[in-house]
DNA sequence: ACAAAGTCTACCTTATAAGTAGATTTTGTT
DNA sequence: AACAAAATCTACTTATAAGGTAGACTTTGT
């Protein structure tokens, strides 16, 4: 399971993607619409800002806005940024690899080989989908 | 990521699968071979016993052994039994479904539709693989 | 000057992961 | 019957992270 933080980040980013190019959106507006605790969301947006995905404007008329284009933000980067590895086992992770503590030979480990298939498929799906795809799917589902 | 508990459970079960039909295996033997803290493993094996996957024999000559056949134990049931849901979001889980707290309409939620693809693929892979498959893959990888 | 925004620092509470210690019960062997 | 080898049970411990809150501070448009 993704942490609440990651889930909220995905909903907040989708919200901002829908308002892309329309100027800053208030934290309070996002929090209310997406039902995210406001103070918690503040911290999440700050993290997204540090990662260079969103930017903000202070003072009256301020708020948050997407810095990258919606087509450029993949789900995998958001999830990795908050929760870390996608893989189910450390010995199978691309970005957070750790040597297997239990098995004698990673090259012939059967568990590893299955978990690697799972990771590859998951990464594939999460890399091929961006914020733009989320909106696209939403529109497709609505118009039919 | 799977919890250590689940990881250890998978390694312990694979060990027992390799000894299937050869009588009880000592906790200490499994712990040593698979590098699992013995006391921790005790608790894991007890849980696996409550789930009806393994059984045990007390006293001299005792130990643990697989109750089901290796072909009957899927990875998905082990993982679900210890860590719970496979899905990345509660609203996409088969066995641990929870209504989405944020989205207005789950039927048209774009995030949900992508996460459902991920879950379906993961469940497919983890259901189609059993302890017997782990051993099979291991042998394949070794013999070539 | 003022109010509306985001920003920063510092908390809090609860649950879970991961592991340990030691007494108890069962059972095969002598 | 005695003994020792096993699993079993109860009860801790310790550390970390999740999830969230409070309030003072800074920036900026009007």
């Amino acid at each position: 399971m993704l942490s609440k933080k990651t889930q909220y980040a995905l909903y907040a980013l989708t919200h901002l993607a829908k308002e892309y190019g329309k100027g800053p959106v208030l934290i309070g507006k996002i929090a209310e619409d997406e039902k995210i605790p406001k103070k918690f969301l503040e911290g999440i947006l700050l993290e997204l800002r540090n990662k260079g995905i969103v930017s903000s404007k202070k003072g009256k008329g301020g708020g948050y806005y997407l810095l990258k284009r919606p087509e450029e933000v993949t789900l995998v980067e958001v999830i990795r940024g908050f929760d870390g590895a996608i893989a189910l086992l450390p010995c199978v992770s691309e970005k957070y690899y750790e040597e297997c503590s239990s098995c004698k030979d990673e090259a012939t480990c059967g568990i590893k080989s299955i978990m690697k298939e799972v990771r590859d498929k998951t990464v594939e799906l999460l890399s091929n989908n961006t914020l733009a795809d989320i909106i696209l799917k939403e529109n497709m589902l609505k118009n039919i």
Side-chain angles (χ1 to χ4, degrees), chain A:
Chain A
M1 283 279 190
L2 301 178
S3 65
K4 278 288 180 189
K5 210 168 181 175
T6 306
Q7 295 179 37
Y8 290 154
L10 290 174
Y11 284 105
L13 285 171
T14 303
H15 188 114
L16 291 179
K18 286 174 185 167
E19 306 292 321
Y20 184 65
K22 298 184 191 165
V25 183
L26 294 184
I27 297 181
K29 168 73 172 155
I30 304 174
E32 196 185 346
D33 282 10
E34 310 297 334
K35 288 162 202 136
I36 304 171
K38 186 175 172 232
K39 275 293 185 182
F40 197 24
L41 179 58
E42 280 184 19
I44 294 168
L45 288 169
L46 239 17
E47 280 192 66
L48 287 168
R49 190 165 144 278
N50 294 338
K51 294 181 208 300
I53 299 177
V54 305
S55 189
S56 60
K57 191 158 178 278
K58 281 184 168 185
K60 209 166 188 171
Y64 273 91
Y65 54 94
L66 211 56
L67 200 58
K68 299 184 171 188
R69 287 182 303 123
E71 309 84 59
E72 287 174 329
V73 185
T74 63
L75 300 201
V76 82
E77 75 180 282
V78 177
I79 294 176
R80 280 203 180 115
F82 283 101
D83 279 357
I86 303 294
L88 294 177
L89 295 180
C91 65
V92 143
S93 171
E94 284 175 300
K95 307 285 177 190
Y96 302 83
Y97 172 82
E98 277 172 56
E99 191 179 302
C100 180
S101 56
S102 286
C103 82
K104 289 110 203 153
D105 178 17
E106 290 196 20
T108 61
C109 174
I111 297 180
K112 176 164 176 167
S113 94
I114 295 167
M115 293 306 181
K116 190 166 164 351
E117 278 187 69
V118 173
R119 188 218 56 191
D120 285 346
K121 197 68 204 174
T122 305
V123 169
E124 184 194 318
L125 286 168
L126 295 177
S127 323
N128 287 341
N129 279 291
T130 67
L131 297 179
D133 294 304
I134 292 176
I135 298 175
L136 221 67
K137 301 218 182 213
E138 218 140 284
N139 290 334
M140 275 178 44
L141 289 167
K142 276 182 189 156
N143 290 341
I144 297 178

